[in-house]
């Protein structure tokens, strides 16, 4: 048995090292500036903020388990005041540790999925499922960011391993293991609680007398609740804030309006399309075929694996906003089904083709993982290069005087205007340049003008506040440098009828300004991509050469901007 285990152990070890390499390659992309708005706003700042008050995050739009992990790691690395000083001096060092944590937790999810597959089917199904999760584009890409999507896959895979044990053996400890996975998954990302569905199915079909199965299921529920509270204690201690956060999260997903530039209207169809690149064409087809075949070959395993993705797809598809990464909680399940289908198909073909089964199984595994590996490696190569926003900033440092007035679309964080670790003495706030306040406007989303103090503008609403008259205001106020980026302007041109004032604004910018510098993320000769909430913010398309949007820097003419 030890001899038989050796190849599996070696393969699993190599797989985990490869998964870690894919997740750490390019993980410092963009630093010291953090260009992903969600990454910049949620977990790292909250983890640091808890050093200034209690462990109550005071924020439950996202569950805080991942935030607590970062909080502990920051304390171990810098201490309370130390991390605040490190963040103030160079936020890149803090985000680098947070991103590395995401990468390690992503690898843990790969390893736990191998275990789940081995318990539910056999070691080689588990290994292939883990390999698919290790190289699939979307899990690899989001392993580079300090967000909770990938960290949630580790406890989710733990829950699957427990559910597999419940189905095959019915042991009480497997109920407890599955319950722990459910609770921790939901405490990391609410929607990852979908792993409860496999547990319920496994409990219903476990080789147990009904009364004992019910008793152990109650135990699993208690363990899940306890794990959730341990990882999210203020869900009890600050219940009103917790309920309010849940409501706000629900409203953000189903606000009836979507986002400007989000042209998809059918959520279910949208998510089905994202699987063919986020996971891969062959894995997606194998998952569909495997679900059908599994219903015939092993109905008990099918009952554990198949319903959860269908229910999750239906629920997420009914929201008003949808993004590819929101489907990540079912990727481990899809990987299990696809891996089982690939190896089952190889075993079925072997005698018919008179070919050795191991060779066919190996070929099936390579084909299943090839697309994800190619695009993940390309993505890592892109992330390892300088961001277009960094290159544009370097040009401005060399060509735009310190203290000059600039307009920068919300394509970069506020810190982008400051030299990290060297605040300017020319401006009043330490920034290198004086920035136009694009985060406030007297223009409502419907184009009407409000009285009094301008309102705060959300990132996705910026294009609704632009109008051609602004360009004249820039010039009269001496804001002569205007920086635009395709991740903002692209939203307007994706839906021009929705924001006609924004289209006229860009025309006026062209009329009254000269483009003095451009940066492109694409390789030479490649056509630009139209705006997309997926392909404008991740780098799956092979035409990308570096991260970031297309950037144009204008120098205005007239009024206080001269000739």
């Amino acid at each position: 048995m030890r001899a038989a285990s050796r190849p599996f152990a070696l393969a699993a070890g190599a797989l985990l090292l490869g998964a870690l390499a894919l997740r750490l390659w390019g993980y410092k992309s963009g630093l010291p500036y953090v260009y992903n708005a969600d990454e910049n706003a949620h977990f790292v700042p909250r983890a640091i903020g808890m050093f200034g008050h209690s462990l109550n995050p005071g924020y439950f739009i996202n569950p805080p388990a991942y935030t607590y992990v970062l909080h502990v790691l920051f304390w171990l690395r810098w201490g309370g005041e130390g991390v605040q000083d490190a963040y103030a001096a160079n936020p890149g060092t803090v985000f680098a540790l947070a991103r590395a944590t995401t990468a390690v937790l992503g690898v843990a999810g790969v390893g736990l999925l191998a275990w789940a597959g081995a318990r539910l089917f056999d070691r080689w199904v588990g290994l292939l499922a883990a390999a698919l999760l290790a190289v699939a584009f979307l899990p690899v890409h989001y392993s580079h960011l300090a967000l909770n999507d990938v960290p949630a896959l580790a406890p989710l895979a733990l829950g699957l391993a427990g559910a597999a044990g419940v189905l095959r053996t019915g042991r009480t400890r497997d109920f407890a293991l599955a319950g722990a996975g459910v609770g921790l998954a939901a405490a990391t990302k609410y929607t990852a609680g979908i792993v409860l569905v496999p547990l319920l199915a496994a409990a219903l079909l476990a080789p147990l007398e009904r009364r004992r199965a019910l008793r152990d299921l109650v135990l699993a529920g208690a363990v899940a609740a306890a794990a959730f509270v341990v990882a999210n204690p203020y869900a009890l201690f600050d219940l009103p804030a917790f309920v309010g956060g849940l409501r706000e999260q629900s409203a953000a997903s189903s606000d009836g309006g979507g986002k400007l530039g989000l042209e998809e209207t059918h959520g279910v169809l949208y998510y089905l399309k994202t699987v063919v690149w986020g996971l891969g064409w062959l894995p997606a087809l194998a998952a569909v075929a495997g679900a059908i075949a599994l219903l015939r070959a092993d109905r008990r395993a099918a009952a554990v694996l198949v319903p959860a993705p269908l229910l999750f797809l239906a629920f997420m598809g009914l929201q008003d906003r949808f993004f590819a990464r929101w489907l990540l909680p079912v990727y481990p399940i899809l990987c299990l089904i696809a891996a089982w289908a690939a190896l089952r198909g190889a075993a079925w073909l072997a005698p018919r083709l008179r070919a050795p089964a191991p060779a066919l199984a190996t070929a099936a595994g390579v084909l299943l993982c090839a697309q994800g590996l190619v695009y993940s490696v390309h993505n890592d190569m892109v992330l390892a290069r300088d961001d277009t926003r960094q290159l544009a900033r370097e040009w401005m440092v060399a060509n735009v005087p310190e203290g000059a007035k600039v307009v920068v679309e919300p394509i970069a964080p506020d810190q982008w205007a400051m030299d990290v670790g060297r605040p300017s003495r020319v401006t009043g706030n330490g920034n290198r340049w004086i920035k136009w306040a694009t985060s406030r406007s007297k223009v409502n989303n419907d184009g009407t003008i409000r009285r009094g103090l301008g309102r705060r503008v959300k990132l996705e609403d910026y294009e609704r506040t632009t109008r051609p008259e602004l360009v004249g205001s820039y010039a009269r106020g001496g804001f002569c440098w205007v920086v635009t980026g395709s991740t903002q302007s692209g939203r307007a041109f994706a839906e021009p009828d929705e924001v006609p004032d924004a289209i006229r604004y860009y025309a006026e910018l062209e009329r009254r300004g000269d483009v003095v510098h451009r940066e492109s993320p694409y390789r030479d000769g490649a056509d630009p991509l139209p705006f997309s909430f997926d392909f404008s913010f991740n780098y799956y398309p092979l035409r990308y050469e570096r991260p970031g949007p297309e950037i144009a820097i204008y120098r205005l003419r007239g009024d206080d901007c001269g000739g």
Side-chain angles (χ1 to χ4, degrees):
M1 290 178 64
R2 284 194 297 270
S5 298
R6 195 172 298 121
F8 176 81
L10 291 173
L15 172 62
L16 294 179
L17 288 175
L20 184 61
L22 279 176
R23 285 154 175 76
L24 290 179
W25 186 2
Y27 82 105
K28 291 186 178 181
S29 177
L31 298 180
Y33 306 105
V34 180
Y35 297 120
N36 183 285
D38 288 337
E39 184 184 27
N40 198 35
H42 294 300
F43 304 98
V44 169
R46 301 288 172 179
I48 295 173
M50 284 192 287
F51 287 109
H53 54 79
S54 72
L55 291 176
N56 183 356
Y59 162 89
F60 298 96
I61 297 174
N62 290 289
Y66 176 59
T67 304
Y68 284 128
V69 170
L70 295 181
H71 182 77
V72 171
L73 291 174
F74 293 163
W75 177 78
L76 291 172
R77 172 63 179 85
W78 290 287
E81 293 183 0
V83 70
Q84 293 170 339
D85 293 341
Y87 187 78
N90 184 356
T93 59
V94 181
F95 274 97
L97 177 57
R99 289 180 179 182
T101 303
T102 299
V104 171
L105 290 173
V107 174
V110 170
L112 289 168
L113 184 63
W115 185 37
R119 302 186 94 201
L120 187 59
F121 297 114
D122 61 51
R123 289 177 174 182
W124 301 109
V125 171
L127 189 66
L128 181 53
L132 183 51
L133 186 66
V135 303
F137 174 81
L138 213 55
V140 171
H141 178 74
Y142 281 99
S143 292
H144 291 78
L145 300 175
L147 297 172
N148 63 345
D149 302 272
V150 168
L153 300 185
L156 189 151
L158 181 68
L160 288 175
V166 168
L167 180 70
R168 298 307 186 194
T169 67
R171 292 175 300 191
T172 300
R173 64 176 182 237
D174 285 319
F175 277 92
L177 182 69
V182 170
L184 292 174
T188 307
K189 188 173 181 68
Y190 294 125
T191 52
I194 189 66
V195 73
L196 175 64
V197 174
L199 170 58
L200 293 175
L204 182 65
L205 299 171
L208 294 173
E209 188 267 332
R210 291 290 183 206
R211 183 173 296 179
R212 185 188 160 190
L214 180 60
R215 183 201 71 188
D216 285 352
L217 187 59
V218 170
L219 170 67
V223 172
F228 183 84
V229 170
V230 166
N232 187 3
Y234 289 91
L236 281 183
F237 301 148
D238 194 358
L239 186 59
F242 173 64
V243 174
L246 287 177
R247 288 175 177 168
E248 190 172 348
Q249 177 65 274
S250 177
S253 301
S254 55
D255 64 356
K259 288 187 176 184
L260 183 67
L262 184 65
E263 295 184 293
E264 301 285 351
T265 56
H266 302 289
V268 172
L269 292 178
Y270 165 77
Y271 281 118
L272 290 175
K273 287 190 292 185
T274 66
V275 173
V276 302
W277 56 266
L279 187 63
W281 272 102
L282 281 180
L285 293 174
V288 173
I292 297 170
L294 198 58
L295 286 168
R296 300 183 62 182
D298 188 345
R299 291 185 180 180
R300 296 170 70 244
V304 170
L305 295 179
V306 175
L310 296 177
L311 291 171
F312 195 83
L313 179 65
F315 173 75
M316 298 303 296
L318 291 175
Q319 308 304 307
D320 290 312
R321 296 185 181 189
F322 13 88
F323 303 98
R325 65 185 172 99
W326 286 2
L327 201 64
L328 276 174
V330 297
Y331 270 45
I333 300 175
L334 297 178
C335 289
L336 284 173
I337 299 173
W340 177 86
L343 295 182
R344 181 86 171 192
W348 182 83
L349 279 174
R352 289 162 177 79
L353 297 179
R354 296 181 181 178
L360 284 181
T362 301
V366 169
L367 289 174
L368 205 63
C369 297
Q371 180 181 342
L373 182 61
V374 168
Y375 283 89
S376 291
V377 168
H378 166 258
N379 183 68
D380 286 357
M381 293 172 64
V382 170
L383 291 175
R385 299 185 179 115
D386 287 336
D387 192 287
T388 57
R389 288 159 287 202
Q390 179 61 33
L391 296 177
R393 190 185 190 283
E394 290 173 2
W395 184 90
M396 290 181 66
V397 167
N399 293 277
V400 179
E402 186 173 357
K405 295 180 178 181
V406 302
V407 181
V408 182
E409 290 189 335
I411 58 172
D414 288 340
Q415 300 93 325
W416 189 84
M418 182 182 293
D419 296 332
V420 172
R422 298 188 302 277
S424 173
R425 296 182 180 181
V426 176
T427 62
N429 58 6
N431 285 346
R432 184 180 185 88
W433 305 290
I434 300 171
K435 287 179 61 181
W436 180 277
T438 56
S439 60
R440 284 198 174 273
S441 177
K442 290 190 175 185
V443 181
N444 294 316
N445 283 352
D446 60 2
T448 58
I449 307 299
R450 62 190 292 143
R451 296 179 179 178
L453 184 67
R455 67 184 179 95
R456 282 201 167 274
V457 179
K458 294 181 179 179
L459 179 68
E460 60 265 28
D461 291 332
Y462 167 74
E463 294 298 324
R464 302 181 191 275
T465 69
T466 54
R467 49 204 312 118
E469 294 84 0
L470 275 173
V471 180
S473 297
Y474 299 159
R476 287 191 297 274
F479 288 82
C480 303
W481 305 89
V482 182
V483 183
T484 67
S486 58
T487 49
Q488 275 298 335
S489 60
R491 302 172 196 237
F493 288 102
E495 296 187 77
D497 294 338
E498 186 74 15
V499 283
D501 282 338
I503 303 303
R504 289 193 286 270
Y505 164 82
Y506 287 108
E508 183 70 2
L509 201 55
E510 291 281 350
R511 189 181 72 83
R512 296 196 56 169
D514 299 310
V515 176
V516 292
H517 188 71
R518 290 187 187 273
E519 291 290 349
S520 171
Y522 305 113
R523 55 180 170 78
D524 290 343
D527 293 329
L529 287 162
F531 178 80
S532 160
F533 273 101
D534 291 316
F535 296 152
S536 294
F537 295 95
N538 65 53
Y539 306 107
Y540 178 86
L542 296 179
R543 66 186 72 179
Y544 277 111
E545 185 176 49
R546 63 179 65 254
E550 292 181 274
I551 290 179
I553 301 176
Y554 291 83
R555 180 68 164 79
L556 298 183
R557 303 183 301 272
D559 295 314
D560 286 349
C561 293

